[in-house]
Amino acid sequence: MIQRRRFLTGASMAAAALAAPPFIRRANAESTLDIASIYSLSGTFANVGALLNNGSQWAVESYKEVLGHKLNYVLIDDRGDAGEAVRKVQEVMTQRNIKHIIGCTNSAIGLAVQKEVYARGGIYVQEAGADESTGKDCNRSNFRWPVASYSAVNATVRPLMEKFPDAKRWYTITGQYVFGDSLLTNCKKIFAEKGVEHVGNSYHSLSDREYSGYIATALAANPDVLVICNFGNQTLDVIRQAVSYGMKRNTKILAVWSTGLDQYQALGPENCEGVYFGCNFWHGVDTPGGRRVAEVVKAKTNDVPNYLHACGYAVAQVLLEGVLKAKSVEVPKIISALEGMSYEGPTGTEVVRAEDHQVIKDYYLMLGKAKSAMKDKNDFADIVAATKAFLPPDQTGCKMA
């Protein structure tokens, strides 16, 4: 399926490449631009990593070449481990001199990799959701396409509070990892500001699959709203079990961060109906950039793009549009070109904020539909609100070096 994809196979391949005569290496460097992508193709979030990788890979294929350089996609499987991700990034950057890096499957990996890429003079465009990525841990090499946790929470919790002003009791179920804690921290700030009662929180681990105890505890607190602050299949499992316990009857359910269509398909309309979801992308939003993503994905799947396809596509697009704007593959020139760049992305006109390298774009609050209301097999939800909710640059904690 992929003609130019190469898997990272270890030091032997790198040694062979470095042993080539200098004139051959120069010719290759002049004709090929290697782009390394790092995704979890095994581990807890392997299903997420696989779809993100598809989007990135298809984006690179659709561009084919930039500035006369053929694009070569180098896939790194970090196996869901931040330490392994860092080691493999070190290998491709030192042994193969690859400086253009994209992708991550979770925030812990993204935060670790962005430090490594910066230390080795590369450029990194990624999908971490934790605020720290373009906040206190920001650096000149690092760019982020999805919104931060702050933005996801503010673009979902605030509109829901406006819609249901009498909902005064809120309960949270949270993944006890970097991203989950980041979502919870931002929820608590809004609860305090708005004077609603946070009636409890249940933490679950990265390995948990059974949530009935947490759901029972939440039900006992008699909340008006259940807020789910986690990621991937764990979001699906919590929603399924909350619905099976009858929680939808008296409680609004909000999954602050969903991956959109693929999760709705996995849940089915009977579980999606009446549930609120936050999402970075929705295929029903008609924009020039969205149509381009849709064309690329349809050619591969004969179906519409989901968020993970679009997100994987977007990080590659940001990098390659930066190369085109810079008219150079040199990292410092690409970084300068990206700062303040406006382009047509998957959600519409998107802008790379110069101060922290966050892409400014809409985040959607969505409401799951009844099966009888679906217009086609992918019409699972309606957009309730589309919001650009970003901290001002001077409040993010980013001190760009």
Side-chain angles (χ1 to χ4, degrees), residues 254-269:
L254 167 64
V256 174
W257 187 286
S258 79
T259 58
L261 182 59
D262 67 295
Q263 287 192 332
Y264 307 162
Q265 290 168 334
L267 286 168

Side-chain angles (χ1 to χ4, degrees), residues 136-148:
K136 70 180 182 63
D137 291 340
C138 73
N139 63 55
R140 287 295 313 284
S141 294
N142 181 65
F143 295 82
R144 170 171 48 196
W145 184 78
V147 304

Side-chain angles (χ1 to χ4, degrees), residues 64-142:
K64 296 181 182 176
E65 64 175 31
V66 292
L67 307 179
H69 296 266
K70 287 185 178 181
L71 299 177
N72 183 56
Y73 190 79
V74 180
L75 173 59
I76 303 170
D77 178 9
D78 59 41
R79 302 182 188 179
D81 181 81
E84 183 154 355
V86 169
R87 287 192 298 273
K88 288 187 172 181
V89 167
Q90 288 173 346
E91 289 178 18
V92 297
M93 295 191 76
T94 59
Q95 298 177 10
R96 299 176 64 173
N97 198 34
I98 297 176
K99 300 295 186 184
H100 305 78
I101 319 288
I102 60 174
C104 74
T105 305
N106 67 48
S107 292
I109 290 171
L111 290 169
V113 169
Q114 73 183 60
K115 294 175 183 176
E116 189 64 29
V117 174
Y118 176 62
R120 297 183 182 275
I123 184 169
Y124 183 44
V125 188
Q126 45 93 339
E127 298 105 327
D131 291 334
E132 293 89 340
S133 179
T134 54
K136 70 180 182 63
D137 291 340
C138 73
N139 63 55
R140 287 295 313 284
S141 294
N142 181 65

Side-chain angles (χ1 to χ4, degrees), residues 79-401:
R79 302 182 188 179
D81 181 81
E84 183 154 355
V86 169
R87 287 192 298 273
K88 288 187 172 181
V89 167
Q90 288 173 346
E91 289 178 18
V92 297
M93 295 191 76
T94 59
Q95 298 177 10
R96 299 176 64 173
N97 198 34
I98 297 176
K99 300 295 186 184
H100 305 78
I101 319 288
I102 60 174
C104 74
T105 305
N106 67 48
S107 292
I109 290 171
L111 290 169
V113 169
Q114 73 183 60
K115 294 175 183 176
E116 189 64 29
V117 174
Y118 176 62
R120 297 183 182 275
I123 184 169
Y124 183 44
V125 188
Q126 45 93 339
E127 298 105 327
D131 291 334
E132 293 89 340
S133 179
T134 54
K136 70 180 182 63
D137 291 340
C138 73
N139 63 55
R140 287 295 313 284
S141 294
N142 181 65
F143 295 82
R144 170 171 48 196
W145 184 78
V147 304
S149 302
Y150 169 91
S151 301
V153 169
N154 279 269
T156 55
V157 171
R158 289 185 187 277
L160 205 61
M161 285 180 170
E162 291 172 7
K163 188 174 179 66
F164 300 105
D166 294 333
K168 299 297 185 183
R169 297 173 59 82
W170 293 59
Y171 194 96
T172 51
I173 294 179
T174 305
Q176 197 163 21
Y177 36 79
V178 172
F179 181 60
D181 267 324
S182 190
L183 292 174
L184 177 61
T185 296
N186 284 289
C187 284
K188 286 180 173 179
K189 289 177 181 177
I190 297 177
F191 298 160
E193 175 194 334
K194 294 295 186 180
V196 304
E197 186 179 1
H198 186 203
V199 294
N201 174 68
S202 293
Y203 271 123
H204 65 78
S205 74
L206 188 62
S207 60
D208 277 343
R209 291 294 178 271
E210 171 56 47
Y211 304 92
S212 57
Y214 306 131
I215 301 298
T217 302
L219 279 167
N222 193 30
D224 298 312
V225 184
L226 171 67
V227 184
I228 302 169
C229 299
N230 61 11
F231 182 67
N233 283 341
Q234 295 190 312
T235 305
L236 299 180
D237 292 339
V238 173
I239 291 173
R240 287 193 190 102
Q241 292 177 40
V243 172
S244 72
Y245 270 66
M247 204 161 188
K248 281 200 296 187
R249 286 195 292 270
N250 300 308
T251 306
K252 305 298 178 186
I253 299 174
L254 167 64
V256 174
W257 187 286
S258 79
T259 58
L261 182 59
D262 67 295
Q263 287 192 332
Y264 307 162
Q265 290 168 334
L267 286 168
E270 64 279 0
N271 287 318
C272 286
E273 181 182 358
V275 175
Y276 290 87
F277 301 89
C279 198
N280 274 284
F281 170 84
W282 184 241
H283 67 274
V285 177
D286 186 23
T287 68
R291 289 194 293 273
R292 181 180 175 188
V293 175
E295 289 170 3
V296 169
V297 172
K298 186 173 183 180
K300 296 292 184 178
T301 68
N302 198 33
D303 208 343
V304 301
N306 58 39
Y307 158 67
L308 296 171
H309 290 145
C311 192
Y313 182 101
V315 295
Q317 180 189 15
V318 169
L319 174 62
L320 294 171
E321 290 298 322
V323 171
L324 291 171
K325 185 182 177 189
K327 298 182 173 61
S328 173
V329 298
E330 295 179 20
V331 166
K333 292 180 180 179
I334 300 170
I335 291 172
S336 294
L338 280 173
E339 293 178 331
M341 184 181 78
S342 176
Y343 65 100
E344 286 302 315
T347 67
T349 301
E350 300 171 355
V351 179
V352 182
R353 191 159 68 176
E355 292 90 345
D356 58 0
H357 296 178
Q358 169 68 56
V359 171
I360 305 300
K361 55 178 285 297
D362 281 332
Y363 191 79
Y364 305 108
L365 173 63
M366 309 192 69
L367 175 61
K369 287 182 165 185
K371 186 174 182 179
S372 59
M374 292 174 63
K375 297 174 185 175
D376 58 55
K377 67 173 185 174
N378 295 316
D379 185 32
F380 282 90
D382 287 325
I383 295 175
V384 176
T387 310
K388 292 181 177 68
F390 295 88
L391 276 172
D394 61 356
Q395 295 180 28
T396 64
C398 176
K399 305 295 183 185
M400 196 70 74

